Structures are given as structure tokens and as C-alpha cells.
């Protein structure tokens, strides 16, 4: 990170607060009301011009900045800062009518037409030219405007157009491959193109993995996913270069999508592409949504390397794009915001300021709902604005790493999108969130990290379903264990290298040596098969399913923690009762445990509790908070700031009493830690 936006112009705050603001959807009278309401709500920043290209450049030869000049001036006079978008997310109709060759093409060959948004090819040289022109004009005009505190490149790069299979994409894919492989034979070997007569004799024969008559080549698919992310990064870099040149000192960001509803990009590669990290997150409605939110926020913090970041979008209440879009309950808007703040967000922003009256998102919530200021949502929005001002001392403080971490590998996640796996029911991210929940149940903080992060800093590392393990990662995991990290991983980990090629000689492939076990056969189980694992009297028994394996012990340091019990389904699965199900091997100062089946919640919880206790780690939270809250900590100069989010099962009573349990005091004036609450506790550092 080279720069972070300066503190808000409103002098009574240090945390930024605001939303996407689309004044082009409203008449001037509404603008005046908007500014007054923003002041009432404590808004410090708005993101402008995200989808304004057609308004800024109504025809190829005409430019209109008057409205933008006017609204930036009005905002600036009101002390509201601007995060100015480059407007390139949605090209105007004149452009795509004149040049339909910039429109993206789907896997099955369909064109994504105008009339929605994000209908552009990341690799189109023509699109790039037009997009950079609008970026340049905006940067020239507003690059030195003191109201502009940040630049916002495009929007959610890689939403609808992330995988473009057009001819432009094909040409760029080939160029990318040439840069990543020594020669064509190197590529043929990596992809295993002897299979199904897929050998390439010339680079020109290579296409994006378009819809074919049978499964696409997994190595090709994985490289295409990497290439597609890099194509977007290239677009980001091109816009950023112009912004840096014409608007020096104003930090640049782009809003990432680390959330449950997106699965397209390896964001771990983007960590250094912008001056600061920002993320969009939308709460999963129903049970477990808050843990998923915390998981995503923690993953964002890892991309930001523990430094503060911006929550660029979340919703005050319902979204409009699920089958059913439940409203948030009273308090949840605040709870969600503080939970992000606890994980490092120094800006709490929403999509969007005022709910649209027309267009595809007219039923999406906003800071000002259709009902206007006399509404529950606006009251909560205003209260949050006040509270953020009283939390100002938290701003700028980095996240304090936990002792435990969960490894989330984006490439494994991408690969699991494909078919032809032994078990195509595996939902990698959901499974990791399930493990996250178990850590929370145990009263432990856990960081969601990516393989590129410093893994050896953690005392305990959980890496379930870590399928893609290049030899370099295997070596780093081994070093971490030898130097004292306690690792636990599961079935289907270590199986494949960076080209999705299977390691030979037995599973879990690249991790076999480290774990001291060998498996000669994977055994996914049909739904409804329930196995029992046996802890041998002293340790807990538990239920398992989905997968099992005949685990063979190959290293003398391996201890068996669970065996498959003598039950009907064990025999049906072809396993001998007594076969090791969970093992643990000591190595150097650490250990490496292997779980060969999918343990049900309480069995997983028992096992992790045992492994964590043996690693000498105790709960981060005292009773009665342990298990009932998600905790995150930011380290200030004088104090640590603990954000406690109630997981919604037990009313935890007066906030002062809760804060006292941590030896701290409540910051921000919260009274209770009820079911949909979160509080920030200031714990002085001794
Ligand atoms: C994304 C986009 C916004 C808006 C919201 C709706 O995050 O960036 O423009 O469409 O989704 O949830």
C-alpha cells in the first residue's frame, strides 16, 4: 500500500461513512435534500460516478461535466468528501452500438448485450482506449480537486464479465500463456494434452476453454481463470497509471468482492495493485450469516496485510438479487458495520445513498429508503453515523493477528468450480466458513489467510480441503510445522500441483511426507451414509460422512486420534473398523494432523478443541462470551480495541459488564450486547 485516504474533512470524525451516490438519477431539488440528509446522518464521503459514463460522454464527441462539477461543489461545501469513480464499469449505448466487438462472450458463445451493465471485454484494445479516455478526462478535471480523497477504478472488476470467451480473449490468453510457459511443449506437458487428443502444435490452436462436448481440460481452465483475473488486473493497472500521473497523491482503490456470492477471482494476487484495499460485502440472510460476514472481513484484512481498509459497499437492509430478499432486523445494520470495523474497516459505506425509483435495483435498500427520512432505516443510519464519530480513536489501527488461522486458497476455490471431481458436492468456501464457526464456538479468534500470507507466524493453522498444493507451498507448510506451527488438514488436500495435475504415489500427495500417512484410494460417500469415529475411550466419538479413506500410517511419529468405528456404514464404505480416521504427527516443534473424513459439527469441534489444547492455546474469550461472540482486535498505540459481535444465540446483557470481563470499557456508548448487537471495547495496553 502506498497511501491511504486522508482523514475525513468533517473534523468530528476519523472513520469515513457514506455510500455510492447516484445524483444523476434525481432532480436538483433532491440533491439539496440529499446534502442536508447526509449532514444529518453524519456522512463524510460518497462514491460518485460509478455508472455515469453515458451522462459524462453522451455521444462520442460530447462531454458533459457540468452536473458533476456542480454536485462535487455542493458536497465539498458541505464538508463531504468524494471517492470518484472512473465511470468505466458500464459503457454507453453509442459505444457498443458502434463497436459491438467490445461486448463479452459467454462460455456457451452468447454475447452479453447492452441494457444491463459490465458489458465489456477486459481484453478489448478498443474498449481499453475508450475507457482510458474517460479516465483521463476525469483525472484531468478532478485530479487536483481537494474534495476528491480517493479514486475508484471501474466497479467490482470481474462481475458479469469476468470470464470472457471472445476472440480478443483468445488472443490475449495465448499471449498470457506464452509469458507463463517456456514453450509449447512445456504447456502441453503441464495441461496433459496427450489426453483426448488435445495436443497443441501451434499457439494459434489454443482457445479459451469454451463450451465443448465434454469436460474442458482442467489445466487449461485453471490457467484461463488466472488469465481472466490478470486481464482485469491489467485494466486496473492501466486506469491506475493515468490516475497516478494526473492526480498524484490521491490514493486509488477498486472495490473487491470478498463475499459468499462471488466466485471468480483470485484476489490474493491483487493485494499490491491498489493504494488501499476496499471490499463489497452482502450479508447472507438467515442462520450463520454473521459468521460468513466475519470470515469475509477477516479475508479482506489478510489481503490488506492487516492494515486498515474500506468497506465500500454493504446493504442497510435487503438486497434485490436473491430469490427472497429479507430485510435486516433492527440493529443488524449497526452490528454488520461494527463487525467490519473490528476487522479493520476504516470506512463504512453502503450501496447506496438513496433507493432508486427506477431500474433493476429499485428494490435494493439504501441509506435513504423509498419511505424517506421518516423510516427505521434512516434512523439507524443516523445513529450509526453518530456512533462512528465516537469510535474515532479506532481509525488507523492495524488488526492484531490471532494465534489461529484458516487457510483459504483462492485457486483451490476456483478449481472446485469445475466438474469431474470425486465429489462434486464439495462447497469449499462454505466448508471453511463451517470451520470458522467451530473456532468461534471454542471462543477463539481465527484469521482467514491466503497461502501467500506468513503462515509460520501462526501457532495453529487449519487448512481443510487444501487441494492445490504446489511444491513451494508444501515446503513452506513443512517449515512452519518444524518451527512450531500445529497444522490440521483434511482429505482431498495436497492432491494436485499448480497445473491441477495429480501427485502420484498415493494421497495426500504433496502433504504425504509431512503428515506421515498414505492413502491409496479416495472414498466419497453417497448422501445418507453416516460413519462413526471412535476416540478410543479417552477421546470423544463422533459422526462423520461424505468421504472416508483407508489411511495407512507410514511414519513412526504418527499417532492415531480417531478410528472408523464398527458400524454398518463403515463396512458398506469398504473400510475395516479400526482403520485410522484422524492422525497427528509431531515434527520439529510442531505437529501435522490429518482428518480423512468430513466430521460433523460436534465431532469437528471436539477434535479441534483437542488439537488446539495440545498446541497450548487457550480460548481468547472468557465465559460467558466464549462461543457466543465473534471477536476481532485492532491494536492502537495506547489500547487494543476489541469488537465483540453477538452471534445471536444469547442476550449477553449490559455492555459495561461485558467490557469489564475483558478488563476494558465500552467505546461508543453501546448499552447492551443483545442478540443483534456488537460493541467495541477499549482495553488499555499495559
Ligand atoms: C454491487 C455493485 C453495486 C450494486 C450492488 C447491489 O455490489 O457494485 O453497484 O449493484 O451490488 O447489491
Amino acid at each position: 500500500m502506498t497511501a491511504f485516504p486522508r482523514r475525513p474533512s468533517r473534523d468530528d470524525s476519523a472513520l469515513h461513512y457514506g455510500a455510492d451516490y447516484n445524483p444523476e438519477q434525481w432532480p436538483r431539488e433532491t440533491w439539496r435534500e440529499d446534502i442536508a440528509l447526509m449532514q444529518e446522518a453524519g456522512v463524510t464521503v460518497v462514491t460518485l460516478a460509478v455508472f455515469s459514463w453515458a451522462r459524462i460522454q453522451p455521444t462520442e464527441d460530447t462531454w458533459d461535466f457540468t452536473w458533476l462539477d456542480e454536485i462535487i461543489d455542493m458536497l465539498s461545501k458541505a464538508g463531504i468528501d468524494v471517492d470518484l469513480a472512473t465511470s468505466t464499469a458500464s459503457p454507453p449505448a453509442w459505444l457498443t452500438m458502434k463497436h459491438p466487438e467490445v461486448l463479452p462472450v459467454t462460455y456457451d458463445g452468447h454475447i452479453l448485450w447492452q441494457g444491463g451493465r459490465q458489458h465489456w471485454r477486459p481484453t478489448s484494445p478498443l474498449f481499453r482506449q475508450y475507457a482510458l479516455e474517460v479516465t483521463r478526462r476525469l483525472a484531468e478535471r478532478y485530479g487536483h480537486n481537494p474534495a476528491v480523497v480517493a479514486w475508484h477504478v471501474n466497479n467490482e472488476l470481474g462481475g458479469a464479465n469476468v470470464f470472457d470467451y471472445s476472440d480478443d480473449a483468445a488472443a490475449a490468453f495465448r499471449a498470457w500463456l506464452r509469458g507463463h510457459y517456456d514453450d509449447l511443449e512445456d504447456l502441453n506437458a503441464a495441461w496433459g494434452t496427450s489426453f483426448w487428443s488435445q495436443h497443441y502444435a501451434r499457439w494459434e490452436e489454443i482457445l479459451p476453454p469454451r463450451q465443448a462436448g465434454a469436460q474442458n481440460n482442467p489445466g487449461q481452465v485453471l490457467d484461463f481463470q488466472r488469465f481472466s483475473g490478470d486481464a482485469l488486473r491489467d485494466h486496473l493497472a492501466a486506469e491506475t497509471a493515468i490516475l497516478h500521473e494526473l492526480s498524484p497523491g490521491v490514493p486509488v482503490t477498486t472495490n473487491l468482492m470478498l463475499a459468499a456470492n462471488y466466485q471468480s477471482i483470485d484476489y490474493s494476487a491483487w493485494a499490491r495493485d491498489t493504494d488501499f484495499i476496499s471490499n463489497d460485502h452482502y450479508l447472507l440472510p438467515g442462520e450463520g450469516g454473521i459468521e460468513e460476514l466475519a470470515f469475509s472481513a477477516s479475508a479482506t484484512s489478510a489481503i490488506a496485510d492487516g492494515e486498515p481498509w474500506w468497506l465500500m459497499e454493504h446493504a442497510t437492509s435487503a438486497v434485490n438479487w436473491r430469490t427472497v430478499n429479507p430485510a435486516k432486523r433492527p440493529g443488524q445494520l449497526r452490528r454488520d458495520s461494527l463487525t467490519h470495523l473490528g476487522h479493520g474497516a476504516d470506512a463504512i459505506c453502503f450501496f447506496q445513498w438513496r433507493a432508486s425509483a427506477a431500474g433493476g435495483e429499485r428494490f435494493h435498500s439504501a441509506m435513504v429508503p423509498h419511505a424517506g427520512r421518516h423510516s427505521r432505516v434512516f434512523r439507524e443510519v443516523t445513529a450509526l453515523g453518530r456512533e462512528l464519530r465516537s469510535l474515532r480513536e479506532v481509525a488507523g489501527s492495524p488488526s492484531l493477528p490471532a494465534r489461529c488461522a484458516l487457510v483459504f486458497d483462492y485457486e483451490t476455490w476456483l478449481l472446485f468450480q469445475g466438474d469431474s471431481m470425486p465429489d462434486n458436492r464439495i462447497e469449499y468456501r462454505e466448508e471453511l466458513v463451517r470451520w470458522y464457526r467451530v473456532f468461534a464456538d471454542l471462543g477463539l479468534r481465527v484469521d482467514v489467510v491466503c497461502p501467500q500470507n506468513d503462515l509460520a507466524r501462526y501457532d495453529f493453522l487449519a487448512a481443510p480441503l487444501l487441494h492445490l498444493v504446489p511444491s513451494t507451498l508444501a515446503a513452506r507448510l513443512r517449515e512452519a510445522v518444524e518451527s512450531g506451527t500445529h497444522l490440521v488438514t483434511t482429505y482431498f488436500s495436497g492432491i494436485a500441483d499448480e497445473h491441477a495435475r495429480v501427485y502420484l504415489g498415493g494421497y495426500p500427495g504433496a502433504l504425504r511426507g509431512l503428515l506421515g500417512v498414505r492413502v491409496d484410494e479416495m472414498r466419497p460417500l453417497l448422501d445418507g451414509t453416516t460413519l462413526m469415529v471412535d476416540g478410543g475411550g479417552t477421546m470423544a466419538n463422533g459422526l462423520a460422512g461424505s468421504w472416508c479413506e483407508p489411511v495407512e500410517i507410514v511414519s513412526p511419529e504418527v499417532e492415531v486420534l480417531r478410528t472408523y468405528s464398527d458400524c454398518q456404514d463403515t463396512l458398506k464404505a469398504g473400510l475395516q473398523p479400526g482403520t485410522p480416521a484422524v492422525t497427528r504427527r509431531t515434527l520439529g516443534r510442531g505437529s501435522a494432523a490429518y482428518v480423512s473424513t468430513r466430521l460433523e459439527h460436534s465431532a469437528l469441534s471436539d477434535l479441534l478443541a483437542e488439537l488446539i489444547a495440545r498446541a497450548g492455546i487457550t480460548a481468547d474469550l472468557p465465559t460467558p462470551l466464549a462461543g457466543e461472540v465473534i471477536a476481532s482486535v485492532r491494536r492502537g498505540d495506547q489500547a487494543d480495541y476489541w469488537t465483540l459481535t453477538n452471534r445471536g444465540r444469547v442476550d449477553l446483557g449490559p455492555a459495561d459488564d461485558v467490557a469489564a470481563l475483558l478488563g476494558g470499557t465500552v467505546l461508543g456508548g453501546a448499552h447492551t450486547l443483545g442478540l443483534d448487537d456488537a460493541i467495541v471495547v477499549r482495553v488499555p495496553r499495559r
Side-chain angles (χ1 to χ4, degrees):
M1 303 298 112
T2 54
F4 201 69
R6 62 171 158 76
R7 294 198 158 199
S9 298
R10 290 182 67 139
D11 58 7
D12 53 357
S13 186
L15 293 159
H16 304 261
Y17 185 46
D20 277 20
Y21 179 36
N22 299 302
E24 62 269 46
Q25 294 176 15
W26 303 97
R28 294 290 195 280
E29 312 83 83
T30 311
W31 294 12
R32 282 185 282 279
E33 190 198 24
D34 283 337
I35 304 268
L37 292 183
M38 283 178 193
Q39 290 186 304
E40 185 177 337
V43 164
T44 70
V45 67
V46 291
T47 301
L48 282 179
V50 174
F51 296 109
S52 308
W53 191 345
R55 184 68 188 261
I56 289 171
Q57 191 183 8
T59 70
E60 183 160 5
D61 305 314
T62 46
W63 295 86
D64 176 11
F65 293 100
T66 50
W67 68 279
L68 200 50
D69 291 350
E70 197 180 329
I71 191 67
I72 292 179
D73 186 53
M74 285 170 73
L75 289 162
S76 149
K77 287 193 173 116
I80 297 165
D81 298 324
V82 173
D83 165 47
L84 189 55
T86 54
S87 301
T88 53
S90 198
W94 60 259
L95 197 166
T96 51
M97 290 303 281
K98 182 174 175 192
H99 294 297
E101 66 272 30
V102 308
L103 296 168
V105 177
T106 60
Y107 173 68
D108 51 1
H110 291 111
I111 291 174
L112 295 181
W113 292 99
Q114 65 183 48
R117 62 173 176 185
Q118 291 179 312
H119 44 289
W120 54 278
R121 296 179 187 176
T123 55
S124 159
L126 196 60
F127 176 80
R128 179 74 59 87
Q129 196 181 310
Y130 281 103
L132 295 190
E133 177 64 13
V134 68
T135 304
R136 176 171 296 281
R137 297 256 184 163
L138 282 162
E140 278 167 356
R141 194 168 188 97
Y142 302 108
H144 295 277
N145 188 316
V148 176
V149 292
W151 285 102
H152 182 112
V153 169
N154 202 278
N155 190 63
E156 293 192 334
L157 282 164
N161 62 348
V162 58
F163 298 126
D164 164 41
Y165 297 82
S166 66
D167 290 343
D168 279 334
F173 184 39
R174 285 178 207 122
W176 185 94
L177 291 168
R178 280 174 183 263
H180 282 75
Y181 289 95
D182 292 341
D183 53 36
L184 206 47
E185 278 323 304
D186 188 24
L187 177 145
N188 276 307
W191 288 4
T193 56
S194 304
F195 180 79
W196 282 352
S197 185
Q198 291 172 352
H199 183 267
Y200 297 105
R202 294 183 315 125
W203 290 100
E204 294 67 34
E205 292 166 1
I206 301 175
L207 293 173
R210 293 174 176 160
Q211 184 163 36
Q215 297 93 317
N216 295 105
N217 179 301
Q220 180 187 8
V221 171
L222 191 57
D223 273 343
F224 185 68
Q225 287 166 325
R226 291 174 177 137
F227 150 78
S228 298
D230 282 353
L232 291 161
R233 291 176 66 205
D234 195 54
H235 185 88
L236 170 62
E239 289 198 18
T240 302
I242 290 177
L243 299 169
H244 280 163
E245 175 201 333
L246 298 174
S247 183
V250 180
V252 177
T253 193
T254 191
N255 45 345
L256 309 181
M257 297 172 280
L258 290 130
N261 43 307
Y262 299 100
Q263 180 173 355
S264 49
I265 293 181
D266 173 6
Y267 279 130
S268 63
W270 295 49
R272 310 221 176 283
D273 289 353
T274 52
D275 294 318
F276 68 104
I277 295 293
S278 59
N279 192 47
D280 295 351
H281 183 272
Y282 288 93
L283 181 75
L284 276 181
E287 280 292 291
I290 191 60
E291 287 90 351
E292 190 288 324
L293 183 154
F295 177 95
S296 295
S298 179
T300 309
S301 176
I303 304 285
D305 209 14
E307 292 301 316
W309 48 275
W310 278 33
L311 176 66
M312 195 59 92
E313 292 181 21
H314 70 152
T316 57
S317 189
V319 299
N320 66 300
W321 37 261
R322 302 186 195 278
T323 310
V324 180
N325 296 294
K328 287 191 181 175
R329 286 193 297 271
Q332 290 189 332
L333 170 169
R334 174 182 170 280
R335 175 201 67 178
D336 296 352
S337 300
L338 294 192
T339 307
H340 285 291
L341 177 139
H343 286 90
D346 264 9
I348 302 297
C349 299
F350 294 96
F351 176 83
Q352 60 177 327
W353 164 250
R354 185 181 277 279
S356 301
E361 292 182 325
R362 65 203 183 288
F363 295 117
H364 196 292
S365 62
M367 292 175 93
V368 182
H370 289 152
R373 71 187 293 274
H374 300 294
S375 56
R376 172 188 73 80
V377 165
F378 190 70
R379 281 190 292 278
E380 290 195 27
V381 158
T382 307
L384 178 61
R386 258 195 315 275
E387 187 168 3
L388 290 179
R389 290 198 288 281
S390 62
L391 294 173
R392 66 178 77 98
E393 67 178 88
V394 179
S397 48
S399 292
L400 180 69
R403 293 185 69 187
C404 302
L406 250 177
V407 181
F408 177 62
D409 177 40
Y410 292 78
E411 294 209 325
T412 289
W413 192 36
L414 290 175
L415 193 72
F416 280 170
Q417 282 185 93
D419 49 14
S420 307
M421 292 294 202
D423 182 350
N424 294 297
R425 297 164 302 186
I426 293 178
E427 298 285 358
Y428 177 63
R429 195 176 196 275
E430 279 83 339
E431 185 63 5
L432 264 82
V433 174
R434 185 173 85 97
W435 281 57
Y436 186 90
R437 250 174 234 131
V438 173
F439 279 94
D441 287 350
L442 297 173
L444 285 159
R445 295 202 296 126
V446 59
D447 290 347
V448 179
V449 299
C450 35
Q452 292 88 328
N453 288 117
D454 177 5
L455 303 178
R457 84 185 303 167
Y458 291 99
D459 296 329
F460 192 85
L461 210 51
L465 295 171
L466 186 65
H467 181 74
L468 276 192
V469 180
S471 53
T472 46
L473 176 58
R476 285 177 53 227
L477 287 170
R478 189 181 189 103
E479 277 162 29
V481 168
E482 282 170 347
S483 65
T485 297
H486 297 272
L487 170 75
V488 56
T489 185
T490 69
Y491 63 93
F492 215 39
S493 297
I495 302 298
D497 69 8
E498 59 274 37
H499 302 295
R501 290 181 68 102
V502 174
Y503 288 106
L504 302 181
Y507 313 124
L511 300 177
R512 215 167 51 219
L514 171 59
L515 295 161
V517 296
R518 182 174 176 274
V519 172
D520 68 359
E521 194 175 29
M522 300 168 183
R523 304 232 176 124
L525 301 167
L526 295 176
D527 286 341
T529 312
T530 306
L531 303 178
M532 293 280 295
V533 291
D534 185 347
T538 51
M539 291 180 275
N541 298 341
L543 298 178
S546 299
W547 190 288
C548 63
E549 289 172 345
V551 177
E552 191 190 327
I553 311 286
V554 293
S555 157
E557 300 94 20
V558 172
E559 164 194 11
V560 176
L561 300 186
R562 303 283 189 277
T563 55
Y564 289 102
S565 304
D566 190 357
C567 71
Q568 222 189 3
D569 281 355
T570 304
L571 296 170
K572 271 204 225 154
L575 283 184
Q576 280 308 311
T579 302
V582 179
T583 60
R584 180 179 186 268
R585 183 237 176 128
T586 48
L587 183 69
R589 292 164 46 213
S591 67
Y594 182 64
V595 185
S596 67
T597 181
R598 184 178 186 277
L599 296 175
E600 291 305 322
H601 190 86
S602 63
L604 180 60
S605 176
D606 290 340
L607 177 71
L608 287 184
E610 214 174 286
L611 292 173
I612 286 164
R614 288 181 70 172
I617 298 170
T618 51
D620 292 301
L621 291 161
T623 325
L625 303 180
E628 302 307 336
V629 303
I630 295 166
S632 53
V633 186
R634 295 179 64 169
R635 171 141 284 189
D637 293 337
Q638 315 286 329
D640 285 340
Y641 301 101
W642 284 68
T643 300
L644 304 178
T645 302
N646 194 326
R647 297 176 68 197
R649 303 187 297 206
V650 182
D651 185 333
L652 290 157
D656 289 335
D657 295 355
V658 171
L661 291 169
L662 297 176
T665 49
V666 180
L667 196 67
H671 298 301
T672 60
L673 186 53
L675 294 183
D676 283 323
D677 280 339
I679 61 170
V680 180
V681 178
R682 181 183 203 282
V683 182
R685 290 184 40 210
R686 296 168 216 295

